[in-house]
Amino acid sequence: KVIIVLCKSFSSDEKEIFRSAMKCANALGGNVDSRGVALTIVLSSIRGDIASGGNNIGDKIEMSARTSIIISSPNQCAAALYFLSGLLRGGSSQAETETPAKGISGAFESSLVEISSTMVHERLLQYLHVSPRQFAYSLLDICGAVIDLIISSGQSCDGNYVAGNSAIQDTLLCCIYLLSCGVTKAGAMRLLDSFAQGLTGVKDVSQLLDIYFDDLFELITKELHEPTGAVWEFGDINVKAFDSLLRTCHGETIGHKMGKIGPILESHLSGEAISSLTTAPSSESKEDVQLIFQTKLFIMALVQSIVSNPDLPKKYVQPFAEALLTNAVIPNLVWQVGSHASALRKLSAAVLLSILQGGTSTLTICKLCPELLPILKSTLGDDDGIIRELVSVSLSKIFEALPAVLGEQAIDKLYPELMRGLDDGNENVRFASCDALRNFLRCAPAANYRGTAIEYMVENLFVHLDDPNPGLQEKVYAALVAAVSVDPAVVAKNAEASIFSHRHSKYCKKLLNLACDK
């Protein structure tokens, strides 16, 4: 009855009542006998355990007490969690005399293990993203109380002993789920910082998560390893925790674990993800399609955060670049109608550029070009200026990396779209198009450009060489310098014709001299 009254008091909006209830919980926690009984009753009630009957009077009393506390809502659960944190904080002052041995030991250890496992009970984690703020704060509070107790026990991170401690593991897991909840994100990060600082042998959060990464990763992704080939849906608590874990870990840790991470990212971004998220792909509803795009957008944003992370050594990404581009990025660059599809194309283009900027191998680029170049060519005409800019810069990177292997047919298909970028209404696209054309003119034998292609490109480049923007003039000039190596006669002819028609003739004269020297 005392516990029921206190739990109800923790639900009160009156601060004084809440404080008084917390003091009472502290007092119960400071008493060895009452603390054990209270923990048993409340923990089993939070988890919704069904008490198994016993033969002695003590068992029957405990069973009666357990079943008399019904916790069936997030608010009731929040009150019980506040009660638990009060018990722990009240008992922490007694912990040293009760457990003088090194670390967490004896009965106190069993309580912490049970409490920490309850913090990550599926029921509580589901409440975290669908319940009022009060529940999230209560889970944050009990998590902080457990961290304080673990730290006060003198626990250290000096080897396998720590890696096998389920209380630390579950507490870290709870912090990761709290990070994925908007209202507790900042508080959870502060808890992680204090946890890392309090454990002997750990210098920061990055090192702590590195030690426990494999355990946390397996716990969060366990449902994905089932034979059914399940994938997460948008809003799933586990996909949010997965996102929080990868965004919080150091880039070096992510790099070492790309063999585990990559396949999960690919499975959620590939075409197979559609059939997994919908029961009948041929008759998808608007809600199904929206769910698919929301899931893909969420995962693609995570991919972008990984590949653009300055702390992630690019050498770790390169072995997985081909599979990631083939299975996750290229399919989502293909044009589809709708704002969600446009947003996904934009993110996919950003991921592509980040991977290319990381120094993707020439072999990988050559292997992907037959599939990638036609899609990028088509995307140059996208309605979104940012997508056109990202694709233009990506093409520049691809052309720069290609040895002189591009064929005549590829050139004939690509150059008209590249030239259209010079007339784009977005100034950034125009600049990016100049760089792409410069490298385009260097990625094939000169003979492959001769004729209509080089004549058209040079003639139009000279038109834009007279642009009023000095910065664009410099970019166009650099592209024309590359054209000199392809066909100096065509450049010389256009330079002579433009000297007297351009408002500034310096670039025309320089190009004429370069062409004549060839």
Side-chain angles (χ1 to χ4, degrees):
K1 290 182 179 180
V2 171
I3 296 172
I4 293 173
V5 170
L6 287 176
C7 284
K8 287 182 178 178
S9 299
F10 279 113
S11 299
S12 174
D13 294 330
E14 295 290 334
K15 291 184 179 179
E16 284 304 318
I17 294 177
F18 184 94
R19 291 195 196 101
S20 297
M22 186 61 75
K23 288 179 181 178
C24 291
N26 291 160
L28 281 174
N31 184 292
V32 179
D33 297 326
S34 64
R35 181 179 65 202
V37 174
L39 283 173
T40 300
I41 294 170
V42 177
L43 286 174
S44 60
S45 299
I46 290 174
R47 293 192 301 266
D49 295 345
I50 299 175
S52 57
N55 294 322
N56 58 50
I57 296 296
D59 286 338
K60 290 180 179 180
I61 292 172
E62 183 182 335
M63 181 174 68
S64 176
R66 260 191 231 183
T67 54
S68 67
I69 300 178
I70 300 173
I71 297 176
S72 58
S73 71
N75 285 336
Q76 291 173 336
C77 196
L81 289 176
Y82 277 126
F83 175 71
L84 274 180
S85 66
L87 285 178
L88 288 186
R89 291 195 167 96
S92 63
S93 60
Q94 303 295 324
E96 187 174 344
T97 57
E98 292 172 19
T99 57
K102 179 183 178 181
I104 304 169
S105 61
F108 204 57
E109 177 183 19
S110 65
S111 297
L112 267 179
V113 168
E114 190 177 4
I115 294 167
S116 60
S117 66
T118 301
M119 292 191 309
V120 290
H121 192 276
E122 184 178 359
R123 182 187 186 189
L124 271 64
L125 297 180
Q126 292 291 347
Y127 282 162
L128 191 59
H129 290 283
V130 297
S131 303
R133 299 161 67 97
Q134 182 76 354
F135 175 79
Y137 288 132
S138 69
L139 188 58
L140 185 70
D141 190 59
I142 185 64
C143 191
V146 171
I147 288 174
D148 289 342
L149 280 175
I150 292 174
I151 291 172
S152 65
S153 73
Q155 187 62 274
S156 63
C157 262
D158 54 4
N160 292 330
Y161 177 72
V162 170
N165 189 309
S166 61
I168 293 180
Q169 174 185 289
D170 286 340
T171 304
L172 277 175
L173 185 63
C174 186
C175 285
I176 295 301
Y177 279 98
L178 286 165
L179 274 176
S180 69
C181 179
V183 298
T184 53
K185 182 176 182 179
M189 198 66 231
R190 286 193 295 270
L191 285 185
L192 280 174
D193 286 332
S194 65
F195 205 3
Q197 291 170 14
L199 289 170
T200 305
V202 179
K203 63 179 181 179
D204 55 25
V205 173
S206 295
Q207 186 182 5
L208 181 59
L209 292 180
D210 183 68
I211 294 170
Y212 279 95
F213 184 88
D214 287 332
D215 293 329
L216 297 172
F217 185 88
E218 292 303 318
L219 288 167
I220 292 170
T221 63
K222 60 184 178 182
E223 67 180 324
L224 301 182
H225 306 309
E226 296 174 359
T228 55
V231 293
W232 288 314
E233 292 185 0
F234 178 73
D236 189 296
I237 57 169
N238 294 313
V239 74
K240 291 182 178 182
F242 180 74
D243 179 86
S244 294
L245 176 64
L246 298 190
R247 288 178 185 272
T248 309
C249 284
H250 192 273
E252 192 81 28
T253 301
I254 301 301
H256 282 300
K257 307 299 180 180
M258 276 301 293
K260 288 183 172 185
I261 297 167
I264 291 179
L265 299 174
E266 292 168 28
S267 69
H268 284 80
L269 293 169
S270 66
E272 286 85 19
I274 294 178
S275 59
S276 299
L277 284 172
T278 58
T279 54
S282 60
S283 58
E284 293 165 12
S285 66
K286 288 184 178 180
E287 291 76 14
D288 290 331
V289 173
Q290 185 176 15
L291 179 63
I292 292 166
F293 277 116
Q294 286 176 325
T295 304
K296 286 190 171 189
L297 280 167
F298 187 85
I299 296 293
M300 192 67 82
L302 175 58
V303 175
Q304 171 60 4
S305 76
I306 292 172
V307 297
S308 62
N309 185 349
D311 295 324
L312 174 66
K314 302 305 179 185
K315 63 181 180 180
Y316 293 123
V317 177
Q318 297 318 313
F320 305 96
E322 183 179 347
L324 195 59
L325 289 170
T326 301
N327 299 324
V329 178
I330 294 176
N332 292 302
L333 281 168
V334 177
W335 190 88
Q336 294 183 68
V337 68
S339 58
H340 281 98
S342 177
L344 183 59
R345 284 197 304 280
K346 188 183 299 186
L347 264 177
S348 302
V351 170
L352 171 63
L353 180 56
S354 294
I355 292 175
L356 291 171
Q357 288 173 331
T360 307
S361 70
T362 299
L363 178 61
T364 297
I365 291 175
C366 287
K367 288 173 69 174
L368 294 177
C369 269
E371 182 181 8
L372 182 57
L373 287 180
I375 293 174
L376 294 181
K377 168 184 168 289
S378 172
T379 313
L380 284 172
D382 199 281
D383 292 338
D384 191 312
I386 295 177
I387 294 177
R388 297 196 301 275
E389 179 186 356
L390 288 168
V391 170
S392 297
V393 177
S394 293
L395 282 168
S396 180
K397 292 288 182 183
I398 291 170
F399 295 147
E400 186 178 20
L402 284 176
V405 294
L406 213 57
E408 286 185 58
Q409 188 176 11
I411 289 171
D412 287 341
K413 289 182 177 180
L414 285 168
Y415 84 84
E417 294 299 326
L418 291 171
M419 291 302 299
R420 285 193 187 95
L422 296 177
D423 293 312
D424 199 280
N426 185 319
E427 201 74 352
N428 292 333
V429 175
R430 300 181 73 201
F431 275 74
S433 297
C434 290
D435 291 336
L437 283 163
R438 182 193 69 226
N439 290 324
F440 176 69
L441 287 163
R442 294 171 175 168
C443 67
N448 291 0
Y449 301 96
R450 298 267 167 84
T452 304
I454 190 64
E455 290 174 2
Y456 180 85
M457 283 189 282
V458 169
E459 181 179 341
N460 280 274
L461 281 167
F462 267 99
V463 171
H464 291 282
L465 186 62
D466 196 34
D467 193 274
N469 187 329
L472 189 69
Q473 289 177 26
E474 291 182 16
K475 291 285 186 179
V476 173
Y477 171 74
L480 283 166
V481 169
V484 170
S485 299
V486 174
D487 196 328
V490 171
V491 176
K493 181 182 72 173
N494 281 273
E496 286 180 335
S498 301
I499 284 178
F500 297 107
S501 61
H502 281 200
R503 69 195 81 189
H504 302 292
S505 61
K506 66 172 183 177
Y507 286 127
C508 295
K509 292 177 180 177
K510 290 171 72 173
L511 287 164
L512 182 59
N513 291 333
L514 282 172
C516 291
D517 289 340
K518 284 287 183 178

